[in-house]
Amino acid sequence: MAEPRLAVRRKSRSSSERKRSRAPVQLVAASSPVARKRPSSGGEGPPAEAPCSNDSEEDMFGDYDSFYGNDSLIAQVDDIEHKYLQDKNMDVKAAGEIVLGNLQSGVHQKEQDNFSASKNVVVLKSDKEGACQMRDSDPADGNQELAESILDDLPSSQLLYFEKLEELSSASRASPLSKGRDEHVNSFSGKIRDPLSFYAGAEHRNRPTDSSSHSKCVLFKSESVKDHLKCAMTGNARAQTLQVSKTKQLKEAVLSEEIFVARKAIETSSLDIGPFYGLPSKVKDLFRQLRGIETLYEWQHDCLMLESLQQRKNLIYALPTGGGKTLVAEIIILQELLCRQKDVLMILPYVAIVQEKVTGLSSFGIELGFLVEEYAGSKGRFPPVKRRVKKSLYIATIEKGHALVNSLIETERINDLGLVVVDELHMLGEGSRGAVLEITLAKILYTSKKTQVIGMSATLNNVGDLQKFLQAECYTNNFRPVELKEYIKIRDTIYAVDSKTQNGFAFSRLLNFKYSSNLEKADPDHIIALVTEVIPKYSCLIFCPTKKSCENVASMVCKYLKKEFRAHKEKEKQDLIKNLKSIGNGTVCPVLKQTIPFGIAYHHSGLTNDERKSIEEAYSAGVLCLLACTATLAAGVNLPARRVILRAPYVGNDFLKKNQYKQMTGRAGRAGIDSAGESILIVQEKDKHLVQDLVRSPLENCYSNLLLELTKGIQSLLLSLVGLKIAVTHEEVDNFMCCTLLGVQQQLLCKEKNFSEIIKDGLEDLIEKGLLKGRISEKDHNSKSTLTITPLGKATYKGSIDLAYCNILYRELKKGLEGLVLESNLHLLYLSTPYDMTSTCSPDWMIYLRQFNQLSAAEQKVADIVGVPESFITKKASGQAIRKNVDNAVVNRFYLTFVLYSLLKETNIWSVSEKFNLSRGYVQNLLNSAASFASCLLHFCEELEEFWVYKALLIELTKQLTYCVKTELIPLMEVAGVLE
């Protein structure tokens, strides 16, 4: 309802006209802005007191009344006042005698604020609730109700005014005046000639003598009620309107107070940690609402209460898969963000897990007032935006986390990072990614003494080395929420894994399933027998060595299942197929179309991200009861099952490692659903002795990969140390390298050469490549000879370019300046195609030739520029001998460029994967890698002035590769939450 506007006109009526035109009093302007009641608590403060109008202040009303005329609030109050103050029958002397009588009879304490005289005297009284009532001393007089109706609806500022009067009178009663009340009464009684003048004088004497008293409207002075109302309404009009609800204000006030208390508790290391581990109680409510977590496990409580955590020491904690490690990390992260007001970096191994965690923690960020920023693929800003109020949680892959730390060190903001959490810490020992993770952690530990590091893993053995490297305490526990029973199957016999027996196995049972001769041929490993014992009532995972094996197992199982399996959640399965069809732009994988009606699907990297997500959600909801998957699922998203079956003790062509075995079997048993979990490893007779060693062996040790991964490892580290000015002399570099995991394990790993010699050789190699400047020699080892980085070196480390390719990349960009073909984006796409994917590419030469022949003349010129002649492709396609020497890496890279070129034109992964006979997942992975590499290439070119022309081109290309939509849709895709 719209609020009435207060229109005004010139007041022209005489006093007699007002008397003749009296009407019942109505609060006609009660909903107007000047009469709106404002809360007296909250962020805006109490309402402003109504200033008393004087000569120095402008009267906002003057001699104007509202357009309501006789019915206006001010006019009616004025009428009531005139009626009673000018009544012919008013006996002033009698009124004075009644007042004096009240004072002398001892009711001075209660009645001083009540101007109670004859039936014609108006009395204003403030009750406990602060509501003002206008009462007539004669209850039979109808005008009492009129007065009450006015004062009951007065805005808060007027009500506050009457409360002030009561406070003043209460103060006067508490003064020495009450002590000698009789003397005061006697002394005043002789002087009174006019009771009204006496009362006004008493009121004046009871008021405080400070200057502020002149600004207050006192009702019983010569000023009328009308004037007071004008003053109060003026104050209301000037006061700011409260925009936020009082409930929301109170909630925010409680939350901020709890955060303040928790922060103080943590700063003082007090045992009083607040309502929820030093966090506001709202955090506990959010875990209950969003995660369904009511209470923590005992080990989680013990871990959070560790003295080392209270003292902000680094910590490594190791528990079996499914034990609840992530929840502890999230609570520690929230403590850092809310209580200590520091940014946090969380490093996760895979892009899919980063995206899952961003989604999961965004709700907490919205509710608790911090930002969640994704650093994966081409996403992420370097350096991150520095924010004054809100703190940020950066969730990053290993590579993006390294680039983020570099940018913080370079801008001298590394101390803003209060906490770094690393999931799957055992990845320190896994190839080039492990080397990058080690470099990242070493830099944080060396450059910031205020940043806490928390590492967690399910599979750690040599924890002592990692403790020394991270300067950390260690917490271990064998807790599992659900008991795990491990079995192996040889032929039709199942054995329990038992470390107490001589060979590690103990007989458990024989399989009870009747196989026909045809079924025996199709399923020699008895997978159907093992699966049908648990599905569809319970869930099951089958880990297969290869992607093709996953699809074959899923197809085989559904062929021999009974028709009853189709009836289980039939509608939900049809909805899943429709969803997959919409994801594939009308196309569904034939294998999935066949298996999903039985509640079965496969899960591997050949699926697109959206397909994987839909299948994972359907499995979690119980729509799918069986997944045939590769080992990547074990290290990825959390999808537990009642039974886990390992199809063979191999991952690809490599025999299973103990760490991998533990990760896969750890998926067995769902907390809160299953009483126990089972894992069954299917073993052939020839592998029996290898499996015996596997189950009895300890977990593999975690070793540094800095030496094995030379260009991504030690050389990359040495280059960035000098570039970031962390260490600029040979001696400083040596000191830093001793703080790495390689430095801790140097006696084990550096057998052929001395550790110092390895460092020296690495620096000399960088100088030789033109990435560093300076001199390194044995005699200069203890000198202060300074190393400096070249522009190419700086571009290499800032762009996170592999040192193996930096010189090749520079030459190709330089060559592009001489004749970059811009008729299409084919030439730019070739420069943005990642080098490290060429080794896994095996071109189909007929497809290669077909795609080449579809190029325009200008585009075919690109092939000549990069070094892929048409004659070479033609001969390869026709199977002829090749005499001309052509770089196979360039040929393979250009083939991948064709795939990307088709993707950007068609924007349909399905059609492109069919055209090039590649899996959908591989095509999508190529697209994501190209987007990430284009982003790195952009940073590389930004550091070299000669490549300024590439900057604008690469910005647009990175967006195209990131979103893979038509160019006109890119601005919309940049809006959060908008999908194609």
Side-chain angles (χ1 to χ4, degrees):
M1 178 177 171
E3 294 180 338
R5 292 173 297 175
L6 192 64
V8 294
R9 66 173 178 80
R10 173 68 64 181
K11 176 179 173 185
S12 58
R13 296 179 300 145
S14 67
S15 176
S16 60
E17 286 173 328
R18 284 198 305 269
K19 289 179 182 178
R20 285 196 301 272
S21 60
R22 285 194 186 102
V25 176
Q26 297 175 6
L27 292 181
V28 294
S31 61
S32 68
V34 292
R36 188 185 304 121
K37 186 172 181 179
R38 291 171 174 80
S40 59
S41 65
E44 297 294 336
E49 291 187 20
C52 190
S53 58
N54 53 45
D55 295 338
S56 64
E57 288 188 343
E58 179 187 356
D59 185 352
M60 292 176 66
F61 295 90
D63 288 330
Y64 290 93
D65 244 340
S66 81
F67 67 84
Y68 288 99
N70 298 342
D71 290 339
S72 77
L73 178 65
I74 293 176
Q76 290 169 44
V77 170
D78 207 22
D79 287 347
I80 292 170
E81 185 181 30
H82 277 77
K83 174 185 175 183
Y84 294 116
L85 292 181
Q86 295 179 8
D87 197 294
K88 294 178 184 179
N89 299 323
M90 177 177 179
D91 189 344
V92 173
K93 189 174 293 187
E97 290 172 356
I98 290 172
V99 171
L100 285 173
N102 287 342
L103 290 171
Q104 291 172 336
S105 62
V107 289
H108 180 79
Q109 186 73 21
K110 296 279 185 180
E111 298 294 332
Q112 185 176 348
D113 296 331
N114 301 342
F115 190 13
S116 304
S118 66
K119 67 177 181 178
N120 306 103
V121 180
V122 177
V123 178
L124 294 175
K125 184 175 180 180
S126 174
D127 62 17
K128 290 180 182 178
E129 290 78 16
C132 295
Q133 298 179 343
M134 179 173 272
R135 298 193 312 178
D136 192 283
S137 60
D138 183 356
D141 194 326
N143 288 311
Q144 174 191 9
E145 295 168 1
L146 304 183
E148 285 177 346
S149 68
I150 293 174
L151 295 173
D152 281 344
D153 289 301
L154 285 177
S156 59
S157 59
Q158 278 95 309
L159 300 183
L160 190 67
Y161 160 75
F162 291 115
E163 288 177 359
K164 292 291 183 186
L165 283 183
E166 187 176 33
E167 288 171 13
L168 289 171
S169 62
S170 298
S172 69
R173 287 195 297 273
S175 69
L177 177 65
S178 58
K179 194 172 182 179
R181 186 165 51 218
D182 295 338
E183 288 83 359
H184 280 275
V185 169
N186 292 334
S187 64
F188 287 144
S189 62
K191 298 178 183 179
I192 293 177
R193 296 292 176 266
D194 186 341
L196 286 177
S197 65
F198 156 73
Y199 199 90
E203 176 67 24
H204 178 73
R205 283 186 293 273
N206 286 338
R207 284 186 301 164
T209 58
D210 61 77
S211 59
S212 66
S213 65
H214 296 291
S215 67
K216 297 179 180 177
C217 296
V218 180
L219 181 62
F220 301 108
K221 284 183 65 179
S222 59
E223 176 180 56
S224 66
V225 176
K226 169 187 167 184
D227 292 333
H228 162 65
L229 287 178
K230 281 187 180 181
C231 292
M233 292 162 92
T234 303
N236 278 343
R238 289 173 178 168
Q240 294 182 357
T241 304
L242 195 63
Q243 298 295 334
V244 186
S245 72
K246 192 171 182 179
T247 305
K248 186 173 181 182
Q249 275 192 317
L250 288 172
K251 283 183 179 178
E252 289 177 352
V254 170
L255 179 61
S256 61
E257 177 63 23
E258 287 185 347
I259 289 174
F260 176 77
V261 170
R263 192 184 305 157
K264 286 293 182 186
I266 287 177
E267 285 173 359
T268 56
S269 298
S270 169
L271 294 174
D272 181 13
I273 58 171
F276 185 65
Y277 301 101
L279 289 165
S281 54
K282 185 175 182 179
V283 175
K284 187 176 182 179
D285 296 337
L286 287 172
F287 277 116
R288 186 186 300 115
Q289 293 165 17
L290 302 175
R291 304 279 180 83
I293 297 171
E294 294 286 345
T295 56
L296 271 63
Y297 295 129
E298 186 179 347
W299 84 263
Q300 291 172 327
H301 173 77
D302 294 343
C303 186
L304 288 166
M305 297 299 293
L306 287 173
E307 189 68 25
S308 55
L309 275 184
Q310 308 301 321
Q311 296 174 5
R312 287 186 56 72
K313 291 181 180 177
N314 297 341
L315 178 70
I316 299 169
Y317 61 100
L319 283 98
T321 301
K325 298 184 292 296
T326 305
L327 177 61
V328 171
E330 288 175 352
I331 292 172
I332 297 170
I333 285 169
L334 293 174
Q335 287 175 344
E336 195 68 32
L337 289 164
L338 301 179
C339 303
R340 299 190 182 93
Q341 291 288 298
K342 290 281 190 177
D343 295 330
V344 176
L345 169 61
M346 188 177 197
I347 298 177
L348 301 170
Y350 305 113
V351 174
I353 305 177
V354 169
Q355 292 169 343
E356 182 186 18
K357 189 59 66 179
V358 167
T359 304
L361 289 176
S362 291
S363 302
F364 286 84
I366 292 167
E367 293 291 334
L368 299 172
F370 62 87
L371 298 167
V372 179
E373 300 185 37
E374 179 182 340
Y375 279 76
S378 61
K379 294 184 179 179
R381 184 166 177 172
F382 304 103
V385 177
K386 187 174 176 67
R387 306 181 193 278
R388 289 181 298 171
V389 181
K390 288 190 176 183
K391 297 303 168 187
S392 292
L393 168 59
Y394 310 114
I395 304 180
T397 57
I398 292 170
E399 294 75 16
K400 286 289 181 178
H402 179 221
L404 177 66
V405 168
N406 279 348
S407 68
L408 290 174
I409 292 172
E410 186 176 29
T411 53
E412 299 181 350
R413 287 169 50 194
I414 191 65
N415 285 324
D416 291 349
L417 207 58
L419 174 69
V420 176
V421 174
V422 182
D423 195 7
E424 310 294 353
L425 187 64
H426 61 269
M427 288 200 73
L428 278 166
E430 295 186 13
S432 61
R433 306 194 77 215
V436 175
L437 180 57
E438 181 181 345
I439 291 168
T440 306
L441 293 174
K443 286 176 181 175
I444 292 168
L445 292 165
Y446 193 84
T447 58
S448 175
K449 302 303 178 188
K450 296 180 180 179
T451 304
Q452 186 181 17
V453 177
I454 306 287
M456 51 183 171
S457 176
T459 54
L460 284 177
N461 189 35
N462 57 332
V463 179
D465 287 350
L466 300 180
Q467 277 187 264
K468 195 172 179 183
F469 165 47
L470 296 177
Q471 304 150 40
E473 303 284 323
C474 182
Y475 177 87
T476 57
N477 196 308
N478 291 321
F479 171 82
R480 268 188 61 91
V482 177
E483 182 189 359
L484 172 63
K485 297 176 181 177
E486 298 178 41
Y487 301 95
I488 67 161
K489 187 189 86 67
I490 303 174
R491 295 193 183 93
D492 61 349
T493 308
I494 295 178
Y495 300 89
V497 175
D498 188 353
S499 58
K500 296 175 183 176
T501 60
Q502 187 175 358
N503 62 359
F505 307 140
F507 174 80
S508 177
R509 64 187 175 96
L510 289 172
L511 272 178
N512 184 21
F513 191 87
K514 291 181 181 180
Y515 269 77
S516 65
S517 57
N518 289 335
L519 184 54
E520 188 75 40
K521 289 177 184 176
D523 182 24
D525 294 326
H526 308 106
I527 291 173
I528 293 173
L530 296 172
V531 162
T532 51
E533 289 178 348
V534 289
I535 66 168
K537 187 177 179 181
Y538 301 106
S539 57
C540 182
L541 293 174
I542 304 176
F543 285 103
C544 303
T546 63
K547 288 183 281 188
K548 191 63 181 173
S549 176
C550 292
E551 297 178 30
N552 291 340
V553 166
S555 297
M556 182 270 294
V557 171
C558 76
K559 280 179 186 176
Y560 294 97
L561 286 181
K562 295 177 182 178
K563 300 295 181 184
E564 289 80 29
F565 282 88
R566 297 178 70 102
H568 181 72
K569 297 194 175 183
E570 189 173 4
K571 183 183 180 300
E572 289 87 342
K573 292 171 187 173
Q574 292 302 319
D575 291 341
L576 174 59
I577 291 174
K578 287 178 185 175
N579 185 31
L580 291 172
K581 194 172 183 178
S582 67
I583 289 170
N585 291 325
T587 311
V588 181
C589 169
V591 177
L592 290 176
K593 197 171 184 179
Q594 174 199 3
T595 61
I596 286 174
F598 289 91
I600 300 169
Y602 65 84
H603 184 291
H604 56 60
S605 60
L607 296 169
T608 65
N609 291 339
D610 291 335
E611 285 176 319
R612 277 204 298 270
K613 189 175 181 182
S614 294
I615 288 171
E616 288 163 7
E617 288 173 353
Y619 176 82
S620 298
V623 177
L624 298 175
C625 54
L626 174 65
L627 288 185
C629 51
T630 53
T632 52
L633 184 138
V637 289
N638 186 24
L639 293 176
R642 174 66 173 267
R643 177 175 288 179
V644 169
I645 300 169
L646 280 70
R647 174 79 173 73
Y650 290 91
V651 175
N653 295 322
D654 301 324
F655 193 78
L656 198 63
K657 294 179 181 177
K658 185 62 177 275
N659 289 349
Q660 294 169 326
Y661 172 74
K662 281 294 182 185
Q663 280 197 322
M664 292 181 195
T665 58
R667 294 296 175 200
R670 296 167 298 171
I673 300 173
D674 300 325
S675 57
E678 300 173 338
S679 72
I680 301 174
L681 171 60
I682 298 173
V683 181
Q684 305 303 320
E685 197 68 47
K686 64 182 178 66
D687 295 324
K688 185 177 177 180
H689 67 285
L690 292 173
V691 172
Q692 286 176 336
D693 294 338
L694 173 71
V695 296
R696 286 185 296 193
S697 65
L699 293 165
E700 287 85 8
N701 286 334
C702 181
Y703 294 116
S704 170
N705 276 273
L706 287 182
L707 284 182
L708 296 175
E709 299 291 334
L710 191 63
T711 55
K712 283 188 176 180
I714 190 168
Q715 287 190 0
S716 175
L717 173 56
L718 295 173
L719 178 66
S720 60
L721 287 180
V722 177
L724 294 168
K725 298 179 180 176
I726 297 172
V728 293
T729 66
H730 192 178
E731 184 181 2
E732 289 174 351
V733 171
D734 272 358
N735 291 339
F736 180 95
M737 292 302 294
C738 289
C739 299
T740 62
L741 181 60
L742 176 61
V744 171
Q745 297 175 334
Q746 58 179 286
Q747 291 183 341
L748 277 171
L749 303 177
C750 304
K751 293 178 179 177
E752 296 180 5
K753 276 188 180 181
N754 181 280
F755 187 44
S756 186
E757 287 179 9
I758 292 171
I759 297 169
K760 176 175 168 288
D761 291 347
L763 291 170
E764 287 176 344
D765 195 26
L766 291 173
I767 293 170
E768 190 179 323
K769 286 182 178 178
L771 303 174
L772 289 181
K773 287 190 292 186
R775 291 187 64 187
I776 298 293
S777 62
E778 197 63 43
K779 63 182 180 182
D780 289 335
H781 179 261
N782 294 318
S783 73
K784 300 298 179 184
S785 178
T786 304
L787 296 164
T788 56
I789 195 164
T790 64
L792 177 59
K794 188 175 182 181
T796 301
Y797 92 78
K798 291 198 79 171
S800 300
I801 305 296
D802 189 341
L803 270 62
Y805 307 121
C806 65
N807 284 308
I808 302 170
L809 177 62
Y810 179 82
R811 287 196 299 269
E812 288 183 335
L813 290 170
K814 192 80 173 171
K815 194 174 182 180
L817 290 178
E818 298 170 8
L820 188 66
V821 179
L822 295 176
E823 183 182 278
S824 69
N825 54 13
L826 183 66
H827 199 167
L828 265 180
L829 274 173
Y830 174 78
L831 294 173
S832 303
T833 303
Y835 292 97
D836 53 4
M837 291 197 72
T838 57
S839 59
T840 60
C841 175
S842 300
D844 183 315
W845 297 107
M846 289 303 296
I847 295 173
Y848 208 150
L849 182 61
R850 194 180 307 127
Q851 292 298 312
F852 192 94
N853 290 333
Q854 292 174 5
L855 298 177
S856 66
E859 289 171 336
Q860 287 186 2
K861 187 182 175 184
V862 175
D864 290 332
I865 292 171
V866 301
V868 182
E870 183 181 3
S871 59
F872 176 83
I873 300 171
T874 306
K875 287 180 179 179
K876 274 285 190 181
S878 61
Q880 297 179 34
I882 307 293
R883 293 181 182 178
K884 192 173 183 179
N885 189 22
V886 176
D887 189 343
N888 284 326
V890 173
V891 173
N892 290 358
R893 192 172 177 220
F894 198 60
Y895 184 72
L896 294 178
T897 303
F898 276 151
V899 179
L900 292 170
Y901 188 51
S902 297
L903 261 177
L904 293 190
K905 284 202 294 186
E906 299 178 30
T907 68
N908 187 327
I909 290 174
W910 271 87
S911 63
V912 172
S913 63
E914 288 173 4
K915 181 187 290 186
F916 287 89
N917 197 24
L918 298 168
S919 72
R920 307 181 296 284
Y922 181 85
V923 172
Q924 188 173 57
N925 185 36
L926 172 63
L927 182 67
N928 293 337
S929 298
S932 182
F933 187 69
S935 176
C936 293
L937 190 58
L938 173 60
H939 294 303
F940 181 88
C941 292
E942 283 175 341
E943 296 301 321
L944 297 168
E945 285 187 21
E946 58 194 303
F947 295 145
W948 64 270
V949 71
Y950 287 110
K951 293 179 191 175
L953 297 170
L954 287 169
I955 288 171
E956 291 306 311
L957 184 65
T958 303
K959 290 178 182 178
Q960 287 180 343
L961 291 168
T962 301
Y963 301 115
C964 191
V965 295
K966 300 293 184 185
T967 309
E968 60 268 20
L969 294 179
I970 289 175
L972 284 175
M973 293 296 289
E974 290 180 307
V975 179
V978 175
L979 301 174
E980 183 187 358

